[in-house]
Amino acid sequence: PMKNTAIISPEFRTIGVGYAGLGSLLMRRGLAYDSDEGRALAAAISALMTGTAYEASAEMAKNLSPFIHFEFNRKPMLEVMERHRKSLDDVLWENVPEDLKLAAYETWNNAIKQGREFGFRNAQATVVAPTGTISYLMGCQDSTGLEPGFSLTTFKNLAGGGNVTIVNAETHNALENLGYNRTQIAEIEEHVTKKNTVVGAPHMNPGHYSIFATAVGNGKDVGTIPFEGQIKMLGAVQPFISGSMSKTCNLPASATVKEIYDRFL
């Protein structure tokens, strides 16, 4: 649509690999989105994704040549690559599976080594887009992009009239993985259908409440991820993403202009 874009895109070959379903993955593994453990896993996955993308980009540069402006940008781009790799040391690896840690370090070492020798085919490799519509095609409807689950329940309008409340699919998976039996899960889900929260549900271990926190929750209890929790996830993942990230940070309808302003800062 734009002449400048038509010229620049082939010259820099920027691409935007990303992911969807992160919030669902954390819930399924029994990790709260707003937790050191959840942020560490998200950072590790992001690091592995971007490192692998640049490793492949260097391999393509070896056989197809790097992007047109690589040599002009060699020094600053390799500095950026080193910053990505150095950020690995800031991840709380004690909260991440060992094989994921080893894979992340290995791919970044390979990417930088090959990039120094052959350059890179792509000036940028990853972004985290909203993935709103495409996520449904991918089967990731419960959480998109970097987002947590929006709510534990969704409302569906029926073709023949009326509507039905459906519990987020990952709620069932997470409860099962946490050791709740079929009867307990059914009763917990019945509570969620009515209250849109696991807080106060029969059989629920209060220590598990934070795992089921969502972007909106019911707006009243630990079932809602605080604004600061959303920002901290951005901070954990950004060091490993080439471009920008799209992130919704929900606030209650009662939020004042000053509260919104302070949170932007």
Side-chain angles (χ1 to χ4, degrees), residues 20-39:
L22 177 72
S24 299
L25 173 69
L26 296 179
M27 187 181 289
R28 184 180 294 200
R29 291 178 68 96
L31 300 175
Y33 186 89
D34 183 18
S35 69
D36 287 341
E37 294 80 6
R39 287 185 282 270

Side-chain angles (χ1 to χ4, degrees), residues 201-218:
H203 315 295
M204 274 299 299
N205 177 350
H208 293 158
Y209 283 170
S210 62
I211 295 169
F212 299 92
T214 58
V216 295
N218 64 3

Side-chain angles (χ1 to χ4, degrees), residues 62-137:
K62 175 183 177 181
N63 294 287
L64 299 171
S65 76
F67 67 90
I68 290 174
H69 301 291
F70 172 73
E71 286 303 329
F72 181 75
N73 291 280
R74 170 184 281 272
K75 185 175 183 292
M77 183 165 184
L78 288 174
E79 286 175 354
V80 169
M81 295 297 104
E82 288 288 358
R83 286 184 66 183
H84 282 308
R85 179 166 65 176
K86 192 174 186 302
S87 293
L88 288 171
D89 297 336
D90 298 326
V91 177
L92 300 178
W93 290 111
E94 62 268 24
N95 298 315
V96 178
E98 182 70 13
D99 59 345
L100 184 51
K101 174 185 178 180
L102 294 175
Y105 273 96
E106 181 181 10
T107 194
W108 272 105
N109 289 336
N110 290 341
I112 292 175
K113 179 182 178 182
Q114 294 180 39
R116 288 189 182 283
E117 188 172 354
F118 307 115
F120 295 97
R121 185 70 169 163
N122 313 91
Q124 288 193 349
T126 55
V127 297
V128 179
T131 64
T133 303
I134 198 171
S135 65
Y136 283 87
L137 299 175

Side-chain angles (χ1 to χ4, degrees), residues 251-256 259:
L251 286 170
S254 59
T256 65
E259 285 174 331

Side-chain angles (χ1 to χ4, degrees), residues 138-154:
M138 297 166 65
C140 299
Q141 59 267 30
D142 289 327
S143 66
T144 63
L146 190 63
E147 305 294 350
F150 181 72
S151 173
L152 289 184
T153 57
T154 55

